[in-house]
Amino acid sequence: RHFRHGGLRISSGIHEMATTVLPRQAWRLYPTSSPAVFFIEPKVKLQQLFGPQELPQTFALRKMEARYMRPKDFNYQLPDDQVPEAAFFGRSNVGKSSLINAVVGSDLMVTSQTPGRTRTLNFAQLTAQGGKQTGSRSWRLVDLPGYGYARVARKESARWQEVTRQYFRDRSGQGLTRAFFLLDVRRPLDESDARQLRMLDKLHIQYQIVLTKWDKMSAHQDSQLLRQLGVLLGTKRSNMHHPAVVATSSTTGFGLEELRMFISAALTDPLGQGLGSDFS
Ligand code: GDP
């Protein structure tokens, strides 16, 4: 299935899944012309979500040169080079490394069999070689430590959580354009997820929900998570969340092109000017 937006062709393989799974419930999540994107608010149009038309078009994440960087490459400091960042975080094992790899189209991040590998910040530096006049431009995807490890001492996991909190605190309003909060579609929200959402609100971080492992979701299956999100985000007073939720699968590629568009839009339109008043 294809549709066009701003000259960009978006394609998705598994069309039936989203449409059969979604409308049965009054979830306050509204399907869109893309099966991988749902809205929390009904009045938002897909066009409102993207910045100046030409930007997503010219921003081909997959074609960029991507380089993996560790904190030591930045002398253990957050870089202050004004490079726009998009952050990715979620529970351990949510599929974060797989998703970042799938989005940039290379095995940049080591996916883990053992939870707890990502204990610190890791960066994927993306560079696009421009023309003679524009020169090259850079963006960064930031890989934050996971939370909720079952087999890790409380003290240790509190320390990782502090790394995340500190990152958001330092980058709030400067450098960070959007946080992508990953949730495994099969897993209902619990208190530790809710705590992360409260942290984002409190630190004024604009965030967008990304569902992972969508291939594990069979048609007609009820999703407690989707219902929870519909209620939580649909009724919450905060407007730090992006109105669109993206369903993805690193395994099948479902929703990746849509996610790339949202990442591109965030990175190239840091002030969210392309968004309607619903995301201010
Ligand atoms: P991280 O700890 O969040 O970085 O998660 P990983 O990317 O290491 O993935 C955790 C586990 O989930 C691995 O066993 C992956 O193979 C699996 N996984 C990741 N993405 C998907 C997906 O889209 N579909 C399915 N079925 N499994 C996935």
Side-chain angles (χ1 to χ4, degrees):
R1 182 185 161 80
H2 300 119
F3 72 99
R4 298 186 77 83
H5 171 68
L8 193 78
R9 188 160 144 276
I10 306 172
S11 54
S12 305
I14 314 166
H15 175 233
E16 292 75 17
M17 219 181 240
T19 43
T20 49
V21 170
L22 270 179
R24 234 166 14 110
Q25 313 275 346
W27 278 342
R28 302 195 51 152
L29 284 169
Y30 302 86
T32 67
S33 47
S34 162
V37 181
F38 327 126
F39 287 146
I40 299 150
E41 289 92 0
K43 51 188 184 291
V44 184
K45 293 198 176 71
L46 197 59
Q47 294 89 294
Q48 283 176 270
L49 297 172
F50 297 102
Q53 297 268 315
E54 69 280 6
L55 291 177
Q57 247 176 289
T58 55
F59 197 92
L61 280 169
R62 252 180 319 181
K63 299 209 180 78
M64 286 189 182
E65 185 197 324
R67 200 150 59 93
Y68 180 56
M69 300 182 92
R70 294 177 179 78
K72 70 171 158 55
D73 300 317
F74 293 108
N75 214 8
Y76 298 94
Q77 307 276 329
L78 276 182
D80 61 357
D81 50 10
Q82 313 293 320
V83 168
E85 292 175 349
F88 291 76
F89 82 118
R91 177 182 294 282
S92 73
N93 226 36
V94 70
K96 178 161 53 71
S97 320
S98 309
L99 192 63
I100 295 177
N101 285 343
V103 159
V104 299
S106 75
D107 287 340
L108 216 54
M109 304 292 165
V110 185
T111 53
S112 51
Q113 301 309 321
T114 19
R117 188 196 57 84
T118 314
R119 293 156 191 229
T120 174
L121 305 179
N122 293 292
F123 305 95
Q125 182 108 357
L126 306 169
T127 309
Q129 302 301 339
K132 276 206 180 94
Q133 277 142 27
T134 47
S136 70
R137 281 197 66 186
S138 293
W139 296 269
R140 258 194 307 271
L141 308 184
V142 182
D143 182 15
L144 294 169
Y147 61 88
Y149 296 100
R151 288 194 298 260
V152 165
R154 185 170 296 191
K155 211 169 144 197
E156 182 74 350
S157 96
R159 203 174 59 76
W160 300 345
Q161 181 69 51
E162 192 47 36
V163 171
T164 301
R165 194 189 310 275
Q166 193 59 48
Y167 170 80
F168 284 133
R169 213 179 277 138
D170 286 353
R171 287 301 206 225
S172 174
Q174 38 187 338
L176 176 62
T177 60
R178 194 177 300 175
F180 291 89
F181 185 40
L182 277 42
L183 291 166
D184 184 332
V185 70
R186 298 166 300 176
R187 203 183 160 120
L189 285 179
D190 68 13
E191 181 45 36
S192 61
D193 304 312
R195 205 177 306 132
Q196 308 298 319
L197 291 169
R198 283 197 298 273
M199 173 184 68
L200 293 171
D201 280 328
K202 215 170 132 205
L203 297 175
H204 301 289
I205 303 295
Q206 296 190 333
Y207 63 91
Q208 181 166 16
I209 305 276
V210 177
L211 307 172
T212 61
K213 309 190 188 180
W214 187 257
D215 56 287
K216 291 283 187 187
M217 179 93 160
S218 58
H220 310 295
Q221 192 180 332
D222 187 20
S223 165
Q224 198 184 337
L225 174 66
L226 281 177
R227 269 188 285 124
Q228 287 172 316
L229 284 177
V231 174
L232 186 80
L233 302 178
T235 57
K236 223 156 60 89
R237 297 190 81 89
S238 149
N239 60 358
M240 294 318 290
H241 68 266
H242 194 283
V245 171
V246 198
T248 64
S249 164
S250 309
T251 310
T252 64
F254 183 75
L256 294 184
E257 203 51 39
E258 285 83 347
L259 179 59
R260 287 188 193 106
M261 278 182 69
F262 283 110
I263 297 170
S264 305
L267 287 173
T268 53
D269 188 22
L271 299 176
Q273 288 153 337
L275 301 173
S277 54
D278 295 275
F279 188 51
S280 51

